[in-house]
Amino acid sequence: LAQEVEFILLDHLRRVDSHSRTTKLPAQRTMPHYPDDIEYSEKYQDDTYEYRHVILPKAVYKNMRNLVSTRGPTDEAGGRLLTEGEWRGLGVTQSRGWEHYAVHRPEPHILLFRRPLGTDPTTGLVNPVQAAAARETLA
């Protein structure tokens, strides 16, 4: 499942802005694309979660690096995850129920978020009826 979501993310990133996402320098690695403002992806989903990613500007990413140098929750690979208060403190604004669930190692300025299908965006709570209906539409 994690590989499938990462494939969806990478495919989406390629399609969104394949030419301006990176600047290729001769005989060097590609440089990450830092937007002027925080950028939010469209939502995408599997049979359990809906996902989105958020791309941070360079200045916001530098603030985030100061946060991640402290102790806190980590993902399966040991990457430092942000709490809701931390990512909101950086200026990321989105409805309730989203969790920062993984660090995208090649581009750590891209925050990966997910929330269970059927989450009420005003309360952040999962409505079991809506979650079941969302899963049925995917089947």
Side-chain angles (χ1 to χ4, degrees):
L1 179 63
Q3 290 175 335
E4 181 180 317
V5 170
E6 185 170 353
F7 174 78
I8 292 170
L9 167 68
L10 293 175
D11 183 58
H12 179 76
L13 290 175
R14 277 189 219 104
R15 285 185 287 122
V16 167
D17 199 357
S18 62
H19 295 291
S20 66
R21 284 212 32 80
T22 58
T23 303
K24 183 102 172 161
L25 299 175
Q28 291 185 359
R29 292 179 4 164
T30 57
M31 300 300 291
H33 161 71
Y34 290 100
D36 293 331
D37 298 307
I38 295 173
E39 291 181 0
Y40 301 85
S41 75
E42 295 296 321
K43 298 174 200 165
Y44 41 99
Q45 63 188 31
D46 60 18
D47 60 346
T48 307
Y49 294 101
E50 67 179 325
Y51 301 89
R52 80 169 344 158
H53 56 274
V54 175
I55 306 174
L56 301 177
K58 195 170 198 170
V60 176
Y61 172 63
K62 286 182 179 182
N63 290 336
M64 186 194 88
R65 284 187 13 218
N66 291 335
L67 283 175
V68 299
S69 66
T70 63
R71 296 192 118 166
T74 59
D75 66 6
E76 292 175 2
R80 169 70 158 74
L81 300 176
L82 301 177
T83 65
E84 182 175 350
E86 289 173 333
W87 55 260
R88 287 193 187 277
L90 291 172
V92 175
T93 57
Q94 50 190 354
S95 56
R96 300 199 182 276
W98 292 101
E99 69 168 329
H100 180 216
Y101 76 97
V103 175
H104 182 56
R105 291 270 183 220
E107 297 177 296
H109 65 288
I110 300 176
L111 304 180
L112 305 178
F113 290 94
R114 72 179 179 192
R115 68 179 173 191
L117 291 176
T119 299
D120 181 329
T122 58
T123 65
L125 301 175
V126 177
N127 179 325
V129 174
Q130 289 177 337
R135 279 193 292 279
E136 283 181 26
T137 60
L138 291 173

